[in-house]
């Protein structure tokens, strides 16, 4: 009986040490992410970055996204809702992180739509039709092109010409480099006034934003 008690107590002690070590590791990791983002603040926003909302807003919400990312599409309406409820107090900065296969071409196309002032309309279309032009988390460019043609949203000839501009590739490369610098390895990745969302979740994002309002 005495030996059994010793074994149980030993197991409990090991469990406490394990859990405590896990919390300590996560806390240290979170601290490192925050410190890294602060040290590389210039990587959050670039001259070419798309900014939605009041440019002088109190809260700057930076999002690294991939048009082919299912979670990005799911979070998009919630981000819009948060901005609407806090109109004038939040500005959204959109950055590219095309991690899915074939997404590089999609973000180049998306950046080219700025020449027709159709960026947000096209982004909404991409998210709403994502299930059509993504297959097994990869981009099917033929299906995507079919969606664009059917929508009649864009001048397709102009879009093709605009996509040939070499500066678009450089913009995407810069965004990817910044994502790497900030250790944004998954999408969507959010930063609120330079602070990274360390534990992903809608409520966590709301709480981080509210803490800065």
């Amino acid at each position: 009986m005495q030996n059994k008690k010793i074994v149980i107590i030993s197991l409990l002690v090991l469990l406490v040490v394990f859990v405590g070590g896990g919390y300590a590791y996560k806390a240290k990791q979170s601290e490192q992410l925050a410190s890294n983002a602060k040290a590389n603040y210039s990587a959050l926003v670039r001259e070419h970055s798309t900014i939605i909302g009041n440019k002088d807003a109190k809260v700057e919400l930076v999002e690294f996204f991939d048009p082919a990312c299912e979670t990005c599409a799911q979070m998009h309406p919630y981000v819009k809702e948060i901005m609407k409820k806090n109109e004038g107090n939040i500005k959204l900065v959109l950055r590219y992180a095309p991690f899915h296969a074939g997404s590089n071409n999609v973000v180049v196309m998306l950046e080219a739509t700025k020449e027709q002032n159709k960026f947000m309309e096209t982004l909404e279309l991409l998210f709403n039709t994502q299930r059509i032009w993504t297959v097994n988390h990869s981009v099917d460019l033929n299906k995507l092109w079919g969606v664009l043609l059917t929508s009649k949203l864009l001048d397709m000839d102009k879009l093709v010409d605009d996509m040939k501009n070499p500066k678009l590739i450089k913009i995407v490369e810069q965004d990817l480099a910044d994502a790497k610098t900030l250790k944004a390895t998954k999408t969507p990745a959010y930063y609120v006034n330079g602070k990274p969302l360390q534990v992903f979740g809608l409520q966590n994002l709301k709480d981080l934003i509210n803490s800065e309002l």
Side-chain angles (χ1 to χ4, degrees):
M1 181 64 72
Q2 187 67 24
N3 288 338
K4 187 176 181 181
K5 285 183 179 179
I6 293 172
V7 170
I8 292 172
I9 292 171
S10 297
L11 287 173
L12 287 172
V13 170
L14 284 172
L15 180 62
V16 169
V17 170
F18 177 77
V19 172
Y23 278 124
Y25 173 76
K26 286 183 179 178
K28 185 177 180 181
Q29 193 175 43
S30 295
E31 186 181 329
Q32 287 175 342
L33 284 171
S35 177
N36 181 65
K38 186 176 180 180
N40 295 287
Y41 189 81
S42 63
L44 285 167
V45 185
R46 297 290 178 181
E47 239 180 81
H48 63 259
S49 300
T50 299
I51 298 177
I52 311 298
N54 177 16
K55 292 185 178 182
D56 298 318
K58 186 177 182 181
V59 173
E60 177 184 85
L61 173 60
V62 177
E63 176 184 351
F64 282 86
F65 78 101
D66 184 338
C69 164
E70 186 176 353
T71 307
C72 294
Q74 291 171 346
M75 288 292 290
H76 184 66
Y78 294 114
V79 172
K80 285 174 62 180
E81 182 183 351
I82 292 169
M83 292 188 67
K84 187 175 181 181
K85 285 183 178 179
N86 298 278
E87 193 169 354
N89 292 319
I90 301 174
K91 68 177 177 183
L92 174 64
V93 182
L94 293 172
R95 306 294 306 276
Y96 301 121
F99 295 148
H100 289 68
S103 282
N104 272 28
N105 295 311
V106 182
V107 295
V108 166
M109 178 277 295
L110 190 55
E111 185 67 18
T113 65
K114 289 181 179 179
E115 295 298 323
Q116 299 184 47
N117 295 316
K118 295 289 185 180
F119 177 88
M120 282 308 297
E121 293 94 328
T122 306
L123 180 59
E124 296 276 352
L125 175 66
L126 293 182
F127 280 151
N128 290 334
T129 61
Q130 190 186 78
R131 66 190 181 281
I132 296 174
W133 54 270
T134 57
V135 180
N136 296 325
H137 305 290
S138 297
V139 175
D140 186 321
L141 288 174
N142 289 328
K143 290 182 179 179
L144 173 60
W145 210 250
V147 167
L148 294 175
L149 285 167
T150 303
S151 72
K152 297 181 179 179
L153 177 65
L154 300 158
D155 180 332
M156 299 301 289
D157 290 334
K158 178 172 173 53
L159 180 64
V160 171
D161 286 338
D162 291 335
M163 286 177 66
K164 295 174 183 176
N165 191 331
K167 77 173 184 180
L168 303 186
I169 299 293
K170 291 181 180 179
I171 286 172
V172 177
E173 288 175 346
Q174 180 65 69
D175 279 17
L176 278 170
D178 287 340
K180 185 176 181 180
T181 297
L182 294 165
K183 302 187 185 305
T185 58
K186 296 179 181 179
T187 54
Y190 297 104
Y191 297 82
V192 179
N193 285 351
K195 299 176 182 177
L197 180 66
Q198 295 165 357
V199 179
F200 182 79
L202 177 58
Q203 190 56 52
N204 291 338
L205 178 61
K206 288 180 178 179
D207 290 344
L208 183 56
I209 291 172
N210 288 332
S211 71
E212 294 294 314
L213 284 171

